[in-house]
Amino acid sequence: MELRPPPKQQHHRRRGSEEEEEVTGMEHGPFSLRAGAGGFWRHDDEGRGGRRGEIKEVDFFLASRDAASWRHDDGFRGTHGGGGGRDDVNIGLDLLTTTTGAVAGGAAAVAGEEDTAKNHRKEATATATATAVDAELRRVVEENRRLRGMLEELTRSYSALYHQFLQVTQQNHHPHRHPDLIMNNNGSSLTQTHRTAAALNPTTTATTQQFLEPRASSTAQLLAGSDAAAASDKEAGGDASPSSLSNAGGNKRRAAQDETAPARENSEQAAAELPCRKPRVSVRARSEAPMISDGCQWRKYGQKMAKGNPCPRAYYRCTMAIGCPVRKQVQRCADDKTVLITTYEGNHNHQLPPAATTMANTTSAAAAMLLSGPAASRDGGLLGHHPAAIFHQSFPYASTMATLSASAPFPTITLDLTQTPAGGAGSAAGLLHALHRPPAIHPAAAAPAMPFALAPQLAMYLPQRAAPGMLPAATGLGTRQPSVMETVTAALAADPNFTTALVAAISSAVAGGAHQALSTTPRGSAGALAGDDSGDGNAAASASAEPTADAPATSGSPPRLATQSCTTST
DNA sequence: CGACTTTGACCTGCGC
DNA sequence: GCGCAGGTCAAAGTCG
């Protein structure tokens, strides 16, 4: 019998003062949980008469309307913020201007010496203020410079480790290389293999994953060999055997998957369908809320106590479409309970709402980045449009945030967004700087024949360019889609926490190609996804990047979308 | 009544 | 083969 925390159901169900108190406490957490900004959960609370006062989710992509009150609070942001179309100005300059105006007015109105002295004092005060602001600005810039240096060092270390990893992986898997892999390899390096293959055919992402999955290659070899049939039966859950029909759990799931692909034409397809081959993307974020809002609708189907962690792990299944295979696990970090670890597995078989798209793009792009390697972005040619390349071009700073674990049962890419540098604003500014270079992405987006089409998430940012097939609901809203910069700065304004800003920044600008590349499945749903790329764009356009009540994520949202809870005991 | 959460039971994979 | 841990199912309970 497994360990379980004391029953929390009653506590969860009966809204009491302590729950509200918890909410109150969360408002002071690193994530802004105020309802006024139109968070994803807010739609549910207000629109569906949900449980008031209950905050079970923190919106990762809270594009706060509070951005209207957005202000530069440091000089560096001001340096890069102007490109977002904002007219923000340096506070210090404002103060000076105001004071100067007061001086002029006073001089005109009063000629007395006392007033003159007073004006001199005011002027002196204004000068001192300007000096202080200037000094602060210099300090921030200097701190930013220092952090950049640290970041570059980290990046170098990461690259070195990554290449070591590639070498080790190549040594481990070369004897068991999949036939298709060999065909694609052409004697070139592992990295190059993936680069070329991925650029030519997104489906080869699955092939690349074989390098990352120790069991995968051996399985593929088994399936490709003379024992393919037997191995296939075994690996597929033995759905042909009578005994397995009565089995619950994994066999049923595999049987269900086999229903969608009754006849496997080759070993690659069979191997790729195995659940164990799905890579996972784990996002670590600091949050007091029990679950981050990623835009999708999730239904909790289980909760377990994981060994070595006092906090239970919750299992969620995507309910935005029937049969969507995507699942996620939510668990608090054992070491730091403020860190929420959300692990995604599988690929959506439906269009995603914008918020979900951003998260999917973020994780997928990070995964693509890691799968293809940091060197990929520096390549020209085919790889110039590889999602990883885009990710790198857009986020040269991001490589240090993501790690890949090949030791886990699943190839798991971890996006660690919990590490807030001391000069977070400086690093954020680096991202802002990166985001300020949209041409790195737009050309690829504009080319329909690219390995992946226009990133839907990005499409809505393109000026003068309506996403093809934009839903009337979107166009009818008449709301201006925020620019990348605005999204980032709005997030910064909504929540000074760096991780939040980071997520918003990455999510807003990562091209959808990465999503497509990684979401491509060998079953053909990939084709649907690829074909629906513009559909994603529709989805992205159908609702504003700001999840507001005006633009619900989906028309068919279950009533309790916002009240999904993860009862993580602490 | 439907949608959702909770939770005990069950299944599978893996290590010993 | 056994035990453990992870993952999932499905009945029961809850809520609007």
Side-chain angles (χ1 to χ4, degrees), chain A residues 357-382:
Chain A
T357 304
T358 54
M359 174 59 89
N361 287 346
T362 301
T363 55
S364 298
M369 172 190 72
L370 288 166
L371 289 174
S372 59
S377 64
R378 289 182 282 275
D379 274 0
L382 290 172

Side-chain angles (χ1 to χ4, degrees), chain A residues 49-90:
Chain A
R51 303 161 196 171
R52 296 177 58 83
E54 179 183 17
I55 297 179
K56 287 297 178 184
E57 219 175 315
V58 60
D59 194 340
F60 239 124
F61 305 95
L62 185 66
S64 172
R65 287 175 180 171
D66 290 350
S69 61
W70 188 89
R71 275 189 188 84
H72 289 299
D73 53 4
D74 71 66
F76 200 90
R77 264 191 247 167
T79 303
H80 296 275
R86 292 182 172 275
D87 297 327
D88 301 280
V89 294
N90 190 301

Side-chain angles (χ1 to χ4, degrees), chain A residues 200-471:
Chain A
L200 293 174
N201 183 2
T203 60
T204 52
T205 303
T207 306
T208 306
Q209 290 161 7
Q210 293 169 2
F211 288 110
L212 304 172
E213 172 53 67
R215 288 178 298 164
S217 296
S218 58
T219 305
Q221 187 188 31
L222 271 177
L223 296 176
S226 57
D227 295 332
S232 178
D233 283 346
K234 185 177 187 301
E235 292 293 331
D239 48 309
S241 65
S243 62
S244 65
L245 289 175
S246 61
N247 284 348
N251 285 353
K252 283 182 181 175
R253 292 189 299 277
R254 279 191 288 270
Q257 289 186 351
D258 283 349
E259 286 176 5
T260 64
R264 284 191 280 269
E265 294 297 327
N266 53 58
S267 59
E268 180 188 75
Q269 187 178 1
E273 287 180 11
L274 296 178
C276 66
R277 303 181 65 82
K278 291 178 185 173
R280 292 180 172 183
V281 179
S282 180
V283 178
R284 290 166 53 92
R286 212 170 284 279
S287 169
E288 298 292 334
M291 193 166 82
I292 62 175
S293 169
D294 45 26
C296 274
Q297 301 163 22
W298 303 95
R299 176 173 181 155
K300 189 176 184 178
Y301 66 88
Q303 179 169 311
K304 286 278 286 190
M305 291 300 298
K307 189 184 180 185
N309 193 332
C311 303
R313 175 183 301 162
Y315 299 91
Y316 294 89
R317 179 178 292 140
C318 179
T319 59
M320 291 199 70
I322 298 175
C324 180
V326 176
R327 291 167 190 197
K328 78 171 179 180
Q329 303 172 5
V330 178
Q331 187 175 34
R332 294 210 169 271
C333 181
D335 297 331
D336 185 355
K337 292 189 172 57
T338 64
V339 174
L340 200 62
I341 304 172
T342 306
T343 304
Y344 296 87
E345 175 188 325
N347 305 304
H348 292 280
N349 62 357
H350 53 86
Q351 297 177 9
L352 296 174
T357 304
T358 54
M359 174 59 89
N361 287 346
T362 301
T363 55
S364 298
M369 172 190 72
L370 288 166
L371 289 174
S372 59
S377 64
R378 289 182 282 275
D379 274 0
L382 290 172
L383 188 63
H385 306 292
H386 189 273
I390 287 182
F391 190 91
H392 274 288
Q393 289 166 5
S394 304
F395 307 107
Y397 304 89
S399 60
T400 58
M401 301 183 299
T403 57
L404 185 148
S405 170
S407 60
F410 305 87
T412 303
I413 289 95
T414 301
L415 272 174
D416 192 347
L417 306 178
T418 63
Q419 296 172 3
T420 306
S427 298
L431 274 171
L432 294 181
H433 181 70
L435 287 168
H436 210 52
R437 304 185 292 126
I441 301 175
H442 287 183
M450 295 304 163
F452 44 86
L454 167 65
Q457 182 63 22
L458 196 61
M460 64 183 186
Y461 294 130
L462 295 178
Q464 312 296 329
R465 185 189 193 284
M470 183 180 291
L471 294 179

Side-chain angles (χ1 to χ4, degrees), chain A residues 16-54:
Chain A
S17 58
E18 59 182 47
E19 181 107 358
E20 292 174 1
E21 210 165 278
E22 180 185 351
V23 169
T24 304
M26 285 193 291
E27 290 192 20
H28 301 289
F31 282 82
S32 172
L33 297 173
R34 297 193 307 103
F40 211 76
W41 50 269
R42 176 175 166 269
H43 155 65
D44 182 83
D45 263 2
E46 294 186 357
R48 310 298 299 246
R51 303 161 196 171
R52 296 177 58 83
E54 179 183 17

